[in-house]
């Protein structure tokens, strides 16, 4: 190719920008990775030395362009052409031939803006000034700088990379629905399942989930409070939600498993599921850990059933038949809990560590399965709310059911045709797929009204699941080494009490509390750690009732709205109207008007009754007071008459 020929354009040579290109080539920095004196090229993809990939630093120009397109954090302009004013990569020079690389003619690209860097860093002193959209007081959400709400608020309206980004959710509940179960008349199977307390998990799962609405709620979750932050205030998933939606037990011992070695796991699988050691080692190698595939558990479940039927047909001893049946039940239970409450990001294998809870099938009910489901879900919500997370796991059917129960207007669902009143509420609905657009749900939640939320949706279900004392427990819950906060004082409206400013979470869930102490507190000090009658406050008149000053405090310490308001006109009733009113009440503005009216009435009565004789100094003072009050009250009446007055308080 000739030296004075520029980039190809539609297959023809072009001399455009040739002089500028030669000038830049003369002044450009040395090629990176060509000599030992130059620094290494930043690691690309997963094939770097630390990940066990190739240690070669040199790359073709074509490979660099492909990697730059795939990596949002990589600025190709800055790396390849630091002095250039336009975004074209430099051409190889004639004195530096590249014989191993094909000469590719590329169409000339017009100048373009450099891509925005990710993640954005706040350009303010967050400790003193807070963040755009809140919080302005950082005393509560101390980890907000790493929350995904920050880039969502800062994003430009056309920044689809941030605003249209979706979270990949892993759910395995449909596998429980699809597995063939024995008829209810087969009591050898259903008696231990029902006695364990896990039977409701067979009928509370959804085959279709609305991932858009799930994503919209995940980005409003905050680990510091273990609640969702919305324009209405805080709402959370409590033990009461677990017992009403899933009918799982919320009392009993916390699950206390620890990490298991492959040898321990192999012994357990061999003893309680009847698998040969060679097959176990192969299964662990395939899953790279102490895991069994879901398909393996399904095979063990059906194979042991078949073996039991064959043993009956061959008139083998009863204990042999019982052995096969117990293995089948254990395989089913392990598959059941690992596809629901212990669902993980793999979505195809189960952790063998949970098999230890099914060694003795008569003792399964002693464990607190409801707390385990809540802790495991909150663990993934904590991770899902971080700005760098791309996947969400946990019991997705439970989270979807909670959203539908509390926000029935914000998701797509129909009533299940075969639901009866004694069944878990999660089996009452059949969700639809929705539109999978988190941005649409985000806007809907930003404009939520008080009547869009059902704070206490279980009133009609109390004859089946009454509100028990464990629901008022405030402190740590745990499952194995995972722990999560349970703070009902932050969501009192869900218990039909007026919400006030709650105490700091560290006062209920002491930081650094070890697992043994968490167990002891829940089993021995449950009554002492409950929210008492005084802290619960008065019952609500309206479901959304809050104490004066709560909403103003909440808007100061949180970020209730995810995006700046972009509507051309103000909504007919802004969702933060109560905040504005209560902020004024905190400054005594509305009370001041009432005081002015009371003073005016009292002064007029005193003048009318002759308590101040006309011509005396006190009579003149009263007249001056009336002259000051009358214009204020008259202006108030005129201003109120120009618009609609919202009656939000009695």
């Amino acid at each position: 190719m000739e030296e004075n020929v520029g980039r190809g354009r539609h297959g023809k040579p072009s001399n455009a920008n040739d002089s500028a290109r030669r000038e830049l080539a003369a002044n450009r920095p040395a090629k990176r990775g060509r000599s030992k004196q130059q620094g290494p090229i930043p690691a690309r993809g997963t094939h770097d030395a630390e990940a066990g990939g190739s240690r070669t630093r040199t790359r073709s120009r074509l490979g660099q362009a492909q990697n730059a397109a795939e990596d949002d954090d990589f600025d190709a302009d800055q790396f390849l052409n630091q002095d250039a004013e336009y975004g074209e990569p430099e051409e190889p020079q004639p004195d530096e031939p590249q014989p191993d690389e094909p000469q590719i003619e590329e169409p000339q690209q017009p100048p373009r803006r450099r891509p925005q860097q990710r993640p954005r860093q706040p350009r303010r002193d967050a400790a003193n000034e807070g963040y755009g959209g809140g919080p302005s007081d950082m005393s509560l959400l101390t980890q907000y700088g790493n929350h995904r709400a920050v880039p969502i608020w800062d994003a430009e309206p056309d920044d689809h990379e941030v605003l249209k980004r979706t979270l990949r959710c892993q759910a395995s509940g449909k596998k429980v629905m699809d597995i063939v179960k024995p008829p209810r008349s087969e009591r050898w199977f259903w008696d231990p399942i029902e006695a364990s307390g896990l039977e409701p998990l067979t009928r509370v799962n959804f085959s279709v989930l609305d991932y858009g609405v799930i994503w919209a709620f995940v980005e409003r979750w905050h680990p510091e409070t273990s609640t969702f932050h919305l324009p209405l205030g805080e709402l959370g998933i409590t033990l009461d939600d677990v017992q009403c939606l899933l009918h799982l037990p919320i009392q009993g011992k916390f699950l206390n498993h620890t990490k298991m070695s492959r040898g321990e796991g192999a012994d357990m699988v061999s003893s309680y599921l009847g698998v040969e050691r060679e097959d176990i080692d192969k299964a662990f190698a395939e899953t790279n850990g102490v895991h069994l595939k879901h398909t393996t558990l399904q095979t063990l479940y059906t194979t042991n059933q078949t073996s039991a039927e064959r043993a009956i047909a061959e008139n083998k001893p009863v204990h042999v038949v019982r052995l096969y049946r117990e293995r089948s039940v254990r395989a089913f239970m392990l598959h059941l809990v690992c596809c629901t409450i212990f669902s993980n990001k793999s979505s195809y294998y189960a952790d063998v560590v949970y098999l230890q809870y099914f060694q003795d099938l008569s003792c399964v009910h002693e464990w607190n399965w409801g707390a385990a489901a809540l802790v495991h879900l909150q663990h993934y919500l904590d991770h899902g709310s971080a700005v760098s997370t791309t996947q969400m796991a946990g019991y997705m059917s439970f989270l979807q059911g909670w959203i539908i129960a509390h926000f029935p207007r914000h998701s797509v669902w129909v009533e299940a045709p075969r639901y009866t009143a004694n069944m878990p509420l999660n089996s009452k609905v059949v969700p639809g797929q929705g539109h999978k657009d988190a941005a649409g749900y985000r806007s809907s939640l930003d404009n939520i009204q008080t009547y869009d939320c059902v704070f206490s949706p279980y009133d009609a279900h109390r004859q089946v699941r009454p509100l028990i004392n464990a629901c008022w427990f405030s402190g740590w819950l745990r499952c194995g080494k995972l722990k999560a906060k349970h703070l009902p004082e932050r969501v009192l409206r869900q218990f039909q009490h007026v919400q006030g400013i709650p105490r700091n979470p560290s006062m209920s869930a002491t930081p650094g509390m070890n697992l043994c102490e968490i167990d002891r507190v829940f089993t021995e000090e449950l009554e002492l750690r409950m929210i008492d009658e005084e802290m619960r406050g008065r019952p609500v008149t309206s479901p959304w009732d809050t104490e004066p000053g709560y909403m103003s405090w909440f808007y100061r310490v949180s970020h209730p709205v995810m995006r700046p308001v972009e509507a051309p006109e103000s909504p007919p009733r802004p969702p933060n109207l109560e905040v504005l009113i209560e902020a004024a009440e905190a400054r005594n503005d509305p009370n001041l008007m009432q005081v002015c009216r009371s003073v005016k009435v009292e002064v007029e009565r005193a003048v009318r009754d002759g308590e101040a004789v006309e011509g005396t100094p006190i009579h003149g003072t009263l007249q001056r007071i009336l002259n000051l009050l009358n214009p204020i009250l008259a202006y108030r009446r005129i201003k109120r008459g120009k618009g609609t007055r919202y009656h939000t308080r009695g």
Side-chain angles (χ1 to χ4, degrees):
M1 185 177 293
E2 298 180 8
E3 290 186 2
N4 61 343
V5 177
R7 297 190 179 276
R9 180 178 299 169
H10 302 292
K12 299 179 181 180
S14 172
N15 295 328
N17 297 324
D18 185 64
S19 59
R21 188 159 44 252
R22 285 198 299 270
E23 181 181 353
L24 288 172
N27 298 324
R28 68 176 180 175
K31 292 284 185 178
R32 299 177 185 247
R34 295 284 182 179
S35 64
K36 296 182 180 179
Q37 286 76 15
Q38 299 296 328
I41 293 179
R44 319 292 306 158
T46 60
H47 300 286
D48 53 69
E50 294 183 1
S54 172
R55 296 179 179 271
T56 304
R57 293 179 178 177
T58 58
R59 286 175 172 81
S60 66
R61 292 178 64 251
L62 182 59
Q64 290 176 351
Q66 290 172 342
N67 286 336
E70 295 172 357
D71 192 347
D72 295 334
D73 295 330
F74 179 67
D75 188 342
D77 287 345
Q78 185 175 7
F79 182 77
L80 296 175
N81 195 7
Q82 296 179 358
D83 298 326
E85 295 296 330
Y86 46 85
E88 298 181 2
E90 297 176 5
E91 289 211 23
Q93 298 301 306
D95 56 343
E96 294 182 1
Q98 300 179 4
D100 296 332
E101 300 175 3
Q103 299 295 326
I104 300 176
E105 292 187 355
E106 302 177 5
Q108 183 176 1
Q109 299 295 332
R112 61 180 184 274
R113 293 181 300 175
R114 296 182 179 180
Q116 295 177 344
Q117 299 293 313
R118 297 288 185 269
R120 293 182 177 88
Q121 299 295 330
R123 295 186 301 272
R124 61 182 70 86
D125 183 1
N128 298 323
E129 302 178 19
Y131 292 84
S136 59
D137 181 349
M138 302 301 299
S139 60
L140 182 63
L141 303 183
T142 56
Q143 305 172 26
Y144 184 70
N146 296 323
H147 199 275
R148 61 176 62 256
V150 176
I152 290 174
W153 177 272
D154 290 340
E156 298 296 332
D158 59 349
D159 192 348
H160 300 303
E161 179 186 350
V162 173
L163 300 181
K164 296 291 185 178
R165 183 185 179 193
T166 57
L167 187 72
R168 194 160 45 129
C169 300
Q170 302 291 352
S172 302
K174 189 175 184 298
K175 298 178 182 179
V176 177
M177 302 174 65
D178 293 341
I179 192 171
V180 178
K181 308 170 190 66
R184 292 281 171 171
S185 59
E186 298 287 341
R187 301 314 303 173
W188 67 267
F189 179 82
W190 287 107
D191 281 346
I193 297 294
E194 292 173 357
S196 69
L198 297 174
E199 185 273 338
L201 292 177
T202 63
R203 45 182 173 164
V204 293
N205 302 292
F206 303 138
S207 59
V208 176
L209 295 171
D210 189 347
Y211 291 114
V213 74
I214 289 176
W215 173 225
F217 274 89
V218 171
E219 65 189 25
R220 293 176 180 270
W221 177 266
H222 286 275
E224 297 92 335
T225 59
S226 292
T227 55
F228 300 100
H229 288 213
L230 297 109
L232 304 174
E234 293 182 58
L235 281 93
I237 309 176
T238 67
L239 290 173
D240 189 37
D241 292 297
V242 177
Q243 70 159 353
C244 291
L245 292 173
L246 305 180
H247 281 195
L248 289 178
I250 59 174
Q251 294 176 299
K253 299 179 293 184
F254 289 147
L255 277 66
N256 56 10
H257 53 273
T258 57
K259 187 176 181 179
M260 182 178 291
S261 68
R262 292 199 180 192
E264 293 171 335
D267 291 339
M268 190 172 294
V269 172
S270 177
S271 300
Y272 298 107
L273 297 180
V275 184
E276 298 293 335
R277 289 298 293 256
E278 182 179 352
D279 295 332
I280 298 172
D281 294 338
K282 182 179 178 180
F284 287 176
E286 289 178 351
T287 58
N288 195 29
V290 191
H291 318 292
L292 293 177
K293 292 181 179 179
H294 292 161
T295 53
T296 302
L297 289 176
Q298 294 172 5
T299 301
L300 291 173
Y301 160 69
T302 56
T303 300
N304 281 288
Q305 283 190 55
T306 303
S307 299
E309 294 172 358
R310 186 183 303 113
I312 294 174
E314 296 175 356
N315 292 322
K316 290 188 176 181
V318 175
H319 71 273
V320 175
V321 177
R322 184 185 302 114
L323 176 65
Y324 287 130
R325 285 179 169 176
E326 287 181 350
R327 288 174 176 174
S328 178
V329 172
R330 290 191 188 100
F332 178 82
M333 284 187 173
L334 182 58
H335 180 265
L336 178 65
V337 297
C338 289
C339 288
T340 53
I341 59 181
F342 300 132
S343 179
N344 54 42
K345 291 184 178 181
S346 74
S347 77
Y348 76 94
Y349 69 70
D351 290 315
V352 173
V353 69
Y354 301 115
L355 182 58
Q356 62 184 288
Y357 300 107
F358 308 123
Q359 298 179 34
D360 186 349
L361 295 178
S362 64
C363 298
V364 180
H365 68 282
E366 297 177 358
W367 301 100
N368 195 328
W369 296 104
L374 184 56
V375 171
H376 209 258
L377 177 59
Q378 289 195 14
H379 166 71
Y380 281 108
L381 284 170
D382 290 349
H383 284 279
S385 63
V387 69
S388 59
T389 306
T390 59
Q391 277 186 309
M392 175 68 190
Y395 198 178
M396 292 291 97
S397 293
F398 176 33
L399 179 55
Q400 177 82 76
W402 182 89
I403 294 172
I404 293 175
H406 289 274
F407 302 89
R409 298 171 180 261
H410 284 76
S411 190
V412 180
W413 58 275
V414 296
E415 290 191 4
R418 298 181 180 179
Y419 175 78
T420 58
N422 63 337
M423 295 172 64
L425 287 178
N426 230 46
S427 58
K428 184 179 181 179
V429 297
V430 179
Q433 191 171 11
H435 51 70
K436 295 185 179 181
D437 181 13
Y441 289 112
R442 182 186 303 131
S443 176
S444 180
L445 291 176
D446 277 349
N447 292 280
I448 193 172
Q449 306 299 321
T450 53
Y451 51 76
D452 291 326
C453 177
V454 182
F455 289 92
S456 179
Y458 311 128
D459 298 342
H461 201 65
R462 288 304 180 194
Q463 71 276 11
V464 180
R465 281 294 185 273
L467 183 65
I468 62 176
N469 285 340
C471 299
W472 289 109
F473 171 76
S474 179
W476 288 108
L477 305 177
R478 77 120 163 174
C479 173
K481 290 188 175 181
L482 301 180
K483 60 181 183 179
K485 304 181 187 77
H486 184 258
L487 307 173
E489 66 266 28
R490 308 195 71 87
V491 292
L492 289 175
R493 290 174 294 181
Q494 294 178 219
F495 299 92
Q496 296 187 331
H497 286 265
V498 177
Q499 181 64 56
I501 299 176
R503 59 189 177 184
N504 191 281
S506 61
M507 298 181 65
S508 301
T510 306
M513 183 178 290
N514 61 53
L515 301 180
C516 293
E517 186 68 10
I518 291 174
D519 289 346
R520 188 192 65 79
V521 167
F522 190 80
T523 55
E524 301 178 9
E525 299 182 4
L526 180 65
E527 298 292 330
L528 299 176
R529 298 299 183 112
M530 292 193 308
I531 302 301
D532 56 24
E533 294 291 339
E534 181 180 357
M535 190 176 296
R536 297 174 197 176
R538 54 191 175 90
V540 297
T541 302
S542 300
W544 52 82
D545 282 349
T546 61
E547 295 289 351
Y550 167 78
M551 293 302 295
S552 302
W553 166 84
F554 176 69
Y555 270 65
R556 187 169 63 254
V557 300
S558 182
H559 67 113
V561 180
M562 297 292 292
R563 290 288 297 157
V565 177
E566 299 176 1
E569 297 180 0
S570 300
R573 177 184 172 88
N576 62 337
L577 179 62
E578 288 81 4
V579 180
L580 303 177
I581 294 174
E582 291 185 11
E585 288 180 347
R587 298 191 303 268
N588 295 325
D589 290 349
N591 292 338
L592 180 61
M593 299 306 300
Q594 185 61 39
V595 169
C596 290
R597 295 189 188 96
S598 301
V599 171
K600 181 175 182 292
V601 170
E602 184 64 21
V603 171
E604 290 177 339
R605 184 201 60 78
V607 173
R608 184 175 59 254
D609 293 347
E611 294 182 2
V613 179
E614 186 174 357
T616 61
I618 189 63
H619 185 274
T621 300
L622 294 179
Q623 287 294 338
R624 286 193 298 274
I625 292 174
L626 287 177
N627 293 336
L628 292 173
L629 292 175
N630 286 329
I632 297 175
L633 297 176
Y635 172 75
R636 178 69 173 178
R637 287 194 297 270
I638 294 172
K639 184 178 180 182
R640 189 172 62 225
K642 291 183 178 181
T644 303
R645 182 183 181 187
Y646 295 105
H647 297 274
T648 60
R649 303 184 66 86

